[in-house]
Amino acid sequence: MVPTILVQYLLLVCLVCFPATEARVRHYRWKVKWEYKSPDCYKKLIITVNGRTPGPTIVAEEGDTILVELEDNLLTENLAIHWHGIRQIGTPWFDGAEGVTQCPILPGETFKYRFVVDRAGTYVYHAHYGMQRVAGLYGLIRVSPRHPEPFSYDHDRSIILNDWYHKSTSEQAIGLSSIPFVWVGEPQSLLIQGKGMFDCSKVTELGVCNTSNPECSPHVQTVVPGQTYRLRIASLTSLSALSFQIEGHDMTVVEADGNYVEPFVVQNLFIYSGETYSVLVKADQDPSRNYWISTNVVTRNRTTPTGLAIFNYYPNHPRRSPPTSPPPAPAWDDVESRLKQSFAIKAHQGHIIKPPPTSDRVIVFLNTQNTINGYRLWSVNNVSFNLPLTPYLIALKKNITDAFDQSPPPDGYDFLNYDIYSVANNSNAKSSNGIYSLQFNTTVDIILQNANTMNKNNSETHPWHLHGHNFWVLGYGKGKFDMYNDPRKYNLVNPIMKNTVAMHPYGWTALRFRADNPGAWAFHCHIEYHFYMGMGVVFEEGIERVGNLPSSIMGCGQTNTFHRH
């Protein structure tokens, strides 16, 4: 017993003294406001942080505390920011999901987010109120480790990918909420680090579009020949799944959503909204010229032009165009290549966290489109989600039982009779704000089951994001999930852990996580328009373990009489 006690004591000492001697508070002051900008040469109102989009990058080391003083200068709009990939252990009220963990920040208010970045990795932040992410409110979080990583490189760089619309988010939201339904359509541009290039010849209005505007000059990544670069790539698209490539260069994938990957090489990296990857790229090509960085829409029959940037070999001029045409894009409907990448992502051999061998509960989520009371909506198990006026975390902690529907949503659907390949009637579909209660510290399996939309022969790709947790990706499959045979194929040896994962057309994705983080947590499709239309759920776990809620998150719904400061 003595050696065991000694080891436990030494471990405790290390855990206690380590953050106390090295952790820091990283303090940021941000002003969020509307400004006229031209990210793709077309001038429109966008949301900026300190005058920029993407906003400032948060740079920290694991164990540091992040303090963001956020001033809402949007004049007529509320605000909330989600720290995507940060688990918010002990601070569930600062997750930033309006309606789930907090009331929105009101115009003119300053709100303080304070949380610990407990793991190294690449993460993002973005608006989580209405569809403000579409308007440009997003940025990167880069957390460095305090221990050696299982790969080496000379330089650390970042790129955020996004799709870009010229219509305002208000106009888009009204169309999605109208009878008849008005879809947003395909994006006008793809942005690489906030820069794109729209064909201004398509614009007749004078002064609106200008290709000589420096705001839309191509993004440049300057590299030194022979050096190796860690490129952190994040996608915050509103709709599009993307491919990413650097002309003539291989990319070695080494990190996904903050977790180390057993390295594998790609020429095209497929990336879905909400995902982050680190790839290693060696500047080992002809140094006398520059090369294209390109991104293209996949999974949808693309009409959006290729997004372009420049991979600049020093000392060539950074604006010198490559002498070649951009590399051809992968076929938009090549599901097999995307599945191949999904299967290739495994936990690094030296950093495997094995999942529990079995689960305590299995929930199957059928993803479908529905018509409910004449409105086109997305739903999960024929329930279309909508947010209550009183945030769940507050309602649960304060025992406000009439704040949302107390009836739990279903754990599955009619497995036997439902045809995932046909346009279903779904006459039993409804809207609800009921939530899933998970027993604390239990293991939960989620099966994401894809199906046909309201259009014939159409099944869309959906990236699902879980707040407050990482999950193990146990497997993918085609067709309808077989609850008896498919679990036998699960990867329980070295599954990757992620916070966002794709569900492929007419297929399924299996996840496992521990319900060990007290709070109320959103789980939703990260396509902005799909979540807006009801494609999401909320889990609650261990609410009795949540500490005292700060008054700053209150002030809306049935908390509008609570003191807020």
Side-chain angles (χ1 to χ4, degrees):
M1 286 298 293
V2 175
T4 302
I5 294 172
L6 180 60
V7 169
Q8 291 175 341
Y9 172 77
L10 290 173
L11 285 172
L12 181 62
V13 168
C14 289
L15 289 170
V16 170
C17 69
F18 171 70
T21 56
E22 298 193 39
R24 294 174 50 188
V25 176
R26 312 274 181 161
H27 194 174
Y28 295 86
R29 291 183 176 87
W30 291 355
K31 290 187 177 183
V32 177
K33 62 180 179 179
W34 287 101
E35 293 188 72
Y36 278 105
K37 296 280 186 181
S38 305
D40 69 345
C41 307
Y42 182 93
K43 186 169 74 172
K44 62 170 286 189
L45 274 173
I46 69 173
I47 300 178
T48 63
V49 180
N50 293 349
R52 297 160 52 187
T53 181
T57 296
I58 290 177
V59 179
E61 288 187 297
E62 59 180 318
D64 285 352
T65 295
I66 306 299
L67 173 58
V68 178
E69 292 188 48
L70 190 69
E71 185 178 320
D72 181 357
N73 286 327
L74 296 178
L75 301 179
T76 60
E77 287 192 32
N78 298 334
L79 178 64
I81 290 184
H82 169 52
W83 315 97
H84 181 121
I86 307 302
R87 293 180 292 180
Q88 300 293 345
I89 296 171
T91 53
W93 43 80
F94 288 145
D95 184 54
E98 180 271 333
V100 180
T101 58
Q102 71 170 96
C103 291
I105 306 162
L106 302 179
E109 283 189 343
T110 296
F111 185 90
K112 292 181 180 179
Y113 286 102
R114 187 183 182 98
F115 53 88
V116 174
V117 287
D118 63 299
R119 293 183 313 122
T122 307
Y123 310 103
V124 290
Y125 64 84
H126 57 80
H128 218 290
Y129 178 83
M131 295 196 302
Q132 291 174 341
R133 189 180 96 217
V134 183
L137 181 43
Y138 60 89
L140 196 82
I141 304 172
R142 195 171 74 199
V143 184
S144 300
R146 297 185 186 274
H147 304 286
E149 296 184 283
F151 48 85
S152 60
Y153 51 89
D154 301 302
H155 305 280
D156 197 334
R157 303 281 179 79
S158 307
I159 284 182
I160 301 180
L161 306 177
N162 206 359
D163 49 11
W164 195 247
Y165 288 85
H166 292 168
K167 285 186 178 180
S168 70
T169 52
S170 297
E171 189 173 356
Q172 289 180 333
I174 289 169
L176 297 176
S177 306
S178 294
I179 303 176
F181 175 74
V182 181
W183 176 237
V184 298
E186 300 301 308
Q188 279 66 61
S189 302
L190 297 179
L191 306 184
I192 299 178
Q193 200 57 24
K195 292 174 177 287
M197 182 69 73
F198 183 69
D199 182 359
C200 288
S201 67
K202 297 179 179 179
V203 180
T204 56
E205 190 178 351
L206 292 176
V208 173
C209 198
N210 178 8
T211 55
S212 63
N213 190 326
E215 289 181 359
C216 60
S217 59
H219 173 67
V220 175
Q221 281 283 343
T222 299
V223 298
V224 175
Q227 300 282 286
T228 298
Y229 292 80
R230 177 185 188 164
L231 196 56
R232 301 173 187 259
I233 306 167
S235 172
L236 281 168
T237 53
S238 309
L239 173 68
S240 312
L242 300 174
S243 67
F244 175 88
Q245 55 188 322
I246 302 173
E247 180 191 8
H249 293 73
D250 288 341
M251 296 178 287
T252 302
V253 180
V254 294
E255 180 219 344
D257 291 359
N259 297 280
Y260 297 131
V261 170
E262 187 65 18
F264 66 97
V265 177
V266 297
Q267 284 75 46
N268 278 291
L269 177 72
F270 297 108
I271 184 167
Y272 306 93
S273 179
E275 287 191 316
T276 65
Y277 289 98
S278 284
V279 299
L280 300 183
V281 182
K282 188 169 184 179
D284 58 2
Q285 298 300 301
D286 178 3
S288 67
R289 52 160 291 192
N290 291 337
Y291 297 82
W292 291 113
I293 299 174
S294 61
T295 185
N296 286 279
V297 173
V298 292
T299 80
R300 305 180 66 85
N301 193 351
R302 54 176 167 256
T303 58
T304 309
T306 301
L308 295 173
I310 295 175
F311 200 63
N312 163 232
Y313 270 72
Y314 181 83
N316 297 318
H317 194 283
R319 301 298 177 202
R320 182 181 171 190
S321 290
T324 50
S325 298
W332 71 268
D333 56 353
D334 180 5
V335 179
E336 291 301 322
S337 292
R338 301 198 301 275
L339 268 170
K340 181 181 177 182
Q341 179 181 299
S342 292
F343 280 116
I345 303 174
K346 311 293 185 187
H348 190 281
Q349 286 301 311
H351 298 268
I352 296 172
I353 302 174
K354 287 197 174 184
T358 59
S359 64
D360 301 298
R361 182 177 179 183
V362 179
I363 306 174
V364 181
F365 286 146
L366 175 72
N367 289 235
T368 60
Q369 271 186 337
N370 307 84
T371 299
I372 302 175
N373 298 324
Y375 293 96
R376 177 70 62 88
L377 298 171
W378 283 98
S379 70
V380 177
N381 293 343
N382 278 329
V383 177
S384 186
F385 176 74
N386 54 69
L387 287 166
L389 296 176
T390 305
Y392 291 108
L393 182 64
I394 306 173
L396 290 161
K397 188 66 178 173
K398 300 288 186 181
N399 199 29
I400 307 173
T401 56
D402 60 345
F404 61 90
D405 186 354
Q406 297 296 301
S407 302
D411 276 17
Y413 68 103
D414 186 353
F415 305 101
L416 186 62
N417 298 309
Y418 195 97
D419 181 4
I420 66 168
Y421 297 100
S422 299
V423 177
N425 182 12
N426 291 331
S427 56
N428 61 331
K430 65 176 183 178
S431 294
S432 173
N433 54 24
I435 65 174
Y436 290 85
S437 294
L438 306 178
Q439 188 175 341
F440 186 70
N441 241 354
T442 57
T443 300
V444 181
D445 278 4
I446 302 294
I447 313 301
L448 296 168
Q449 175 66 64
N450 216 337
N452 209 92
T453 67
M454 299 289 286
N455 302 316
K456 288 183 178 180
N457 302 316
N458 176 252
S459 181
E460 299 188 10
T461 300
H462 300 287
W464 274 79
H465 170 57
L466 178 59
H467 293 223
H469 303 77
N470 276 343
F471 47 73
W472 290 275
V473 182
L474 301 184
Y476 304 85
K478 298 178 181 179
K480 188 184 291 188
F481 179 76
D482 183 332
M483 67 184 71
Y484 300 106
N485 293 313
D486 285 329
R488 298 173 184 172
K489 307 171 191 174
Y490 285 170
N491 176 15
L492 300 177
V493 177
N494 60 350
I496 190 65
M497 298 191 78
K498 295 184 96 264
N499 62 61
T500 305
V501 71
M503 178 178 55
H504 297 286
Y506 296 116
W508 55 265
T509 301
L511 319 174
R512 180 169 293 174
F513 72 98
R514 293 285 296 172
D516 57 3
N517 191 6
W521 307 106
F523 181 46
H524 61 93
C525 178
H526 210 259
I527 293 174
E528 193 81 322
Y529 309 116
H530 292 182
F531 182 45
Y532 178 82
M533 295 166 65
M535 198 172 196
V537 300
V538 166
F539 298 123
E540 67 94 355
E541 60 201 60
I543 291 297
E544 69 283 355
R545 299 168 182 261
V546 173
N548 293 327
L549 303 180
S551 61
S552 61
I553 68 169
M554 304 181 192
C556 60
Q558 296 189 45
T559 73
N560 59 10
T561 58
F562 292 13
H563 181 57
R564 179 173 180 170
H565 60 80

